[in-house]
């Protein structure tokens, strides 16, 4: 008899499939984000008050951002339309966090910190973790980045938006998802609405795609996004073209040395085999954004002077990427890291003097705080006050207490009620007549080499001063001259309107 031996049945259970977990960010990616962010914040907070001073452009931000949103919009119809969105943003920030220099400048510090993280992620994607960390740390050390990270203007925000638009571009090329291109286009449009010259980065992106031989679907997607950006910017560009007189102070290309130096250094770094192979190579992305915006602005300046280095601040993205990738390449080729450390220490030592200088009031083209304080110190209650020219009235607008006890002789309507930056002035004859009612006049004017507009009001001011007053004393301040004039008939007159004594209405011609 055979026995049928069978293995006992074993109950087997099949576990349900484990849902795919989203990959968590790698430690390297976290370091590339956090380290540049932290360094930029630390450098931004270092000396952020700049000895409690404010320069002229920041004074404009401070004054306009404290107006109502409706007043900001009405003022933008006359002047500074290109910065209207930024003033509206700062208006809300002041409303949330209060007044003061920290509130004025902290948004720029935070924006530049976000830009530094974006630069690090760009280099990480294109050249690896070490290049990403180095590029992210180089970016906040650049002198231009340090300067505008501590300035109450829109340039740091524009730089951050262009950085992340560039990152969105690089991510969109291999994936081709429509929503990614929508993010790219929206970010670029917002950057352009904050400052029109951000559109030059759009040109650099297009050159990058062409040189990279991107597939036709990618080029079509970029073209559609770029067309939407241009269409969104066009109304602002057309309307602001009527305010081109705002940049009449630009006498020609300025601060060109920095642009030339970083361009040469960047192109030299690009000659090395940087980054990893992919749809977009690091050098092909970095060189156009470093060189093209400034170059295009210089070419436009041949027709009308427009070049100012801060208008293309985002070009520093390119040099940071190239330097970070080149240092990574140099480190990989060296058997010993001694030379790399020596070079790093030398560069950091060389950056100390400019970093210290950037945190002084003298690092800006003028010091509105010092100008206002000088007017307050030199003037006596009841003195006349005269701006040569009227647009310099903004230099004392940050602190109204500086001019509270002086009489603005040319002012017909103040800046707020007239929805302007500097107010509306009286006709020339009335200005001259009011000047003759005073024995002492305090004048504020730009340095002798500054552009000074010529109009009947300005001619009346200067001719009346020349014919009926003499210079009593001049104080030179950063960006201005504050001069006290007295009537010729009284060598040491009292403050206030002229008396009715004999000779009060006259004066010796000089």
């Amino acid at each position: 008899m055979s026995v049928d031996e069978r293995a006992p049945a074993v109950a087997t259970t099949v576990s349900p499939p484990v849902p795919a977990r989203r990959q968590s960010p790698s430690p390297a990616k976290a370091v590339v984000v956090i380290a540049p962010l932290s360094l930029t914040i630390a450098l931004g907070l270092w000396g952020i008050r700049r000895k409690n001073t404010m320069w002229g452009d920041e004074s404009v931000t401070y004054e306009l951002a404290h107006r109502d949103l409706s007043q900001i919009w009405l003022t933008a119809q006359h002047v500074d339309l290109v910065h209207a969105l930024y003033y509206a943003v700062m208006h809300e920030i002041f409303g949330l966090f209060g007044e003061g220099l920290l509130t004025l400048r902290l948004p720029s510090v935070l924006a530049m910190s976000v830009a530094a993280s974006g630069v690090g992620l760009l280099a990480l994607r294109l050249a690896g973790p070490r290049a990403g960390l180095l590029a992210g740390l180089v970016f906040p050390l650049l002198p231009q980045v340090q300067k505008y990270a501590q300035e109450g203007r829109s340039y740091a925000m524009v730089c951050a938006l262009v950085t992340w638009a560039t990152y969105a571009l690089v991510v969109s090329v291999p994936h081709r998802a429509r929503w990614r291109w929508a993010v790219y286009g929206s970010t670029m449009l917002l950057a352009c609405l904050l400052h029109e010259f951000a559109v030059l980065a759009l040109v650099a992106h297009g050159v990058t795609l062409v040189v990279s031989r991107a597939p036709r679907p990618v080029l079509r997607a970029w073209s559609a996004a770029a067309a939407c950006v241009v269409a969104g910017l066009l109304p602002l560009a057309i309307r602001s073209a009527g305010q081109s007189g705002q940049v009449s102070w630009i006498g020609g290309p300025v601060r060109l040395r920095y642009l030339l130096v970083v361009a040469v250094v960047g192109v030299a770094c690009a000659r090395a085999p940087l980054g990893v192979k992919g749809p977009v190579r690091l050098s092909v992305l970095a060189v156009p954004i470093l060189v093209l915006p400034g170059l295009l602005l210089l070419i436009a300046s041949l027709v009308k002077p427009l070049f100012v280095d801060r208008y293309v601040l985002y070009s520093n993205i390119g040099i940071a990427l190239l330097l970070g990738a080149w240092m990574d390449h140099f480190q990989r080729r060296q058997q010993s890291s001694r030379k790399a450390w020596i070079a790093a220490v030398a560069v950091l030592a060389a950056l100390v003097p400019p970093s210290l200088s950037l945190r002084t009031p003298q690092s800006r083209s003028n010091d509105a705080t010092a100008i206002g304080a000088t007017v307050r110190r030199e003037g006596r209650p009841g003195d006349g006050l005269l701006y040569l020219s009227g647009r310099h009235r903004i230099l004392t607008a940050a602190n109204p207490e500086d001019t509270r006890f002086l009489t603005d002789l040319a002012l017909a309507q103040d800046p707020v009620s007239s929805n302007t930056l500097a107010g509306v002035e009286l006709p020339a004859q009335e200005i001259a007549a009011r000047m003759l009612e005073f024995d002492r006049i305090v004048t504020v004017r730009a340095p002798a080499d500054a552009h000074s507009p010529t109009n009947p009001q300005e001619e009346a001011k200067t001719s009346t001063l020349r014919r009926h007053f003499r210079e009593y004393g001049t104080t030179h301040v950063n960006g201005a001259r504050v001069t006290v004039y007295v009537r010729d008939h009284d060598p040491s007159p009292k403050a206030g309107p002229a008396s009715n004594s004999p000779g009060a209405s006259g004066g010796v011609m000089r």
Side-chain angles (χ1 to χ4, degrees):
M1 182 178 73
S2 63
V3 180
D4 187 8
E5 297 181 357
R6 296 183 180 180
V10 179
T12 60
T13 59
V14 179
S15 59
V18 179
R21 296 178 62 186
R22 187 173 182 179
Q23 187 177 3
S24 60
S26 65
K29 192 172 185 178
V31 171
V32 166
V33 171
I34 295 172
L37 183 82
S38 303
L39 178 61
T40 311
I41 291 176
L43 289 174
L45 294 177
W46 170 34
I48 189 173
R49 289 185 176 276
R50 217 161 49 239
K51 298 182 179 179
N52 292 319
T53 61
M54 186 188 304
W55 81 288
D57 281 13
E58 287 183 311
S59 180
V60 173
T61 298
Y62 194 85
E63 202 274 329
L64 278 182
H66 279 82
R67 300 184 188 182
D68 294 336
L69 288 176
S70 59
Q71 291 177 320
I72 292 174
W73 174 247
L74 291 172
T75 302
Q77 307 310 302
H78 302 100
V79 65
D80 251 7
L81 181 61
V82 292
H83 296 298
L85 177 59
Y86 174 68
Y87 296 144
V89 171
M90 290 304 299
H91 171 85
E92 297 300 328
I93 291 175
F94 279 126
L96 289 172
F97 301 104
E99 303 178 357
L101 286 175
L102 286 179
T103 309
L104 176 68
R105 292 173 181 156
L106 269 178
S108 294
V109 174
L110 297 177
M112 205 64 89
S113 304
V114 172
S117 294
V119 170
L121 288 177
L122 271 170
L124 169 67
R125 188 176 186 90
L126 299 175
R130 184 165 59 187
L133 178 61
L134 290 170
L137 294 177
V138 164
F139 181 76
L141 293 174
L142 296 171
Q144 261 200 350
V145 173
Q146 290 193 58
K147 179 176 182 178
Y148 293 105
Q150 293 186 325
E151 193 153 296
R153 297 296 282 172
S154 64
Y155 309 111
M157 293 184 185
V158 173
C159 186
L161 288 167
V162 172
T163 301
W164 283 95
T166 306
Y167 185 77
L169 173 75
V170 172
V171 172
S172 299
V173 170
H175 294 288
R176 307 182 191 178
R178 289 184 178 181
W179 70 268
R180 294 182 185 274
W181 287 106
V183 170
Y184 167 75
S186 301
T187 309
M188 273 304 306
L189 177 58
L190 185 56
C192 293
L193 293 177
L194 277 174
H195 199 281
E196 292 177 7
F197 289 148
V199 75
L200 299 175
L202 197 67
V203 179
H205 291 162
V207 170
T208 293
L209 294 180
V210 171
V211 175
S212 300
R213 297 181 179 178
R216 287 187 177 180
V218 172
L219 291 176
R220 284 197 297 267
W222 176 83
S223 299
C228 291
V229 173
V230 172
L233 177 63
L234 200 57
L236 175 64
I238 294 173
R239 189 67 181 269
S240 63
Q243 300 177 358
S244 59
Q246 282 184 253
V247 292
S248 60
W249 58 269
I250 304 176
V254 293
R255 298 188 184 95
L256 194 56
R257 183 175 62 179
Y258 180 86
L259 177 68
L260 290 174
V261 169
V262 295
V264 170
V265 171
V267 171
C269 290
R271 294 174 62 87
L274 306 177
V276 295
K277 291 184 178 180
V280 178
R281 295 181 64 86
L282 184 140
S283 57
V284 176
L285 175 74
V287 171
I289 204 167
L290 169 63
V291 175
L292 277 181
L295 180 61
L296 292 173
L297 205 54
L298 281 171
I299 293 173
S301 294
L302 297 176
V303 179
K304 179 179 177 61
L306 290 172
F307 182 84
V308 180
D309 55 0
R310 60 181 178 266
Y311 292 169
V312 289
L313 176 65
Y314 53 82
S315 294
N316 287 282
I317 300 168
I319 188 62
L321 289 172
L322 291 165
L323 284 173
W326 182 85
M327 287 190 289
D328 175 54
H329 169 72
F330 179 80
Q331 179 69 18
R332 283 188 279 107
R333 291 189 59 183
Q334 295 296 318
Q335 297 295 329
S336 171
S337 61
R338 183 178 179 183
K339 292 183 179 178
W341 280 108
I342 293 174
V345 171
V347 171
L348 289 175
L351 285 172
V352 170
S355 298
L356 291 171
S357 175
L358 287 171
R359 287 157 177 84
T360 64
Q362 291 72 29
S363 63
R364 269 55 177 182
S365 58
N366 59 56
D367 183 351
T369 307
I371 295 169
T374 303
V375 170
R376 187 175 190 171
R377 183 177 66 250
E378 297 297 326
R380 302 174 184 173
D383 281 355
L385 176 62
L386 210 58
Y387 296 91
L388 308 169
S389 66
R391 62 187 174 89
H392 296 313
R393 191 170 280 105
I394 194 65
L395 293 176
T396 59
N399 185 9
E401 289 297 314
D402 290 333
T403 59
R404 180 181 176 185
F405 298 106
L406 306 181
T407 302
D408 193 332
L409 301 178
L411 189 64
Q413 193 175 7
D414 67 86
V416 176
S417 63
S418 63
N419 295 312
T420 60
L421 285 181
V424 177
E425 296 202 331
L426 294 165
Q429 291 182 345
E430 292 187 38
I431 294 174
R434 291 195 72 188
M435 290 173 65
L436 294 177
E437 295 175 0
F438 284 75
D439 284 333
R440 276 177 54 102
I441 296 177
V442 180
T443 66
V444 179
R445 74 176 80 203
D449 58 343
H451 173 75
S452 183
T454 300
N455 57 51
Q457 284 95 334
E458 299 307 320
E459 291 176 357
K461 296 174 190 177
T462 55
S463 64
T464 304
L465 286 173
R466 185 175 60 252
R467 295 174 58 194
H468 299 284
F469 292 81
R470 60 181 173 83
E471 184 176 325
Y472 187 72
T474 296
T475 303
H476 293 270
V477 198
N478 182 17
R481 289 180 295 156
V482 178
T483 303
V484 176
Y485 284 88
V486 297
R487 289 290 292 269
D488 276 333
H489 63 263
D490 190 350
S492 181
K494 298 178 181 180
S499 65
N500 293 323
S501 59
S505 62
V508 180
M509 298 287 290
R510 287 180 183 263

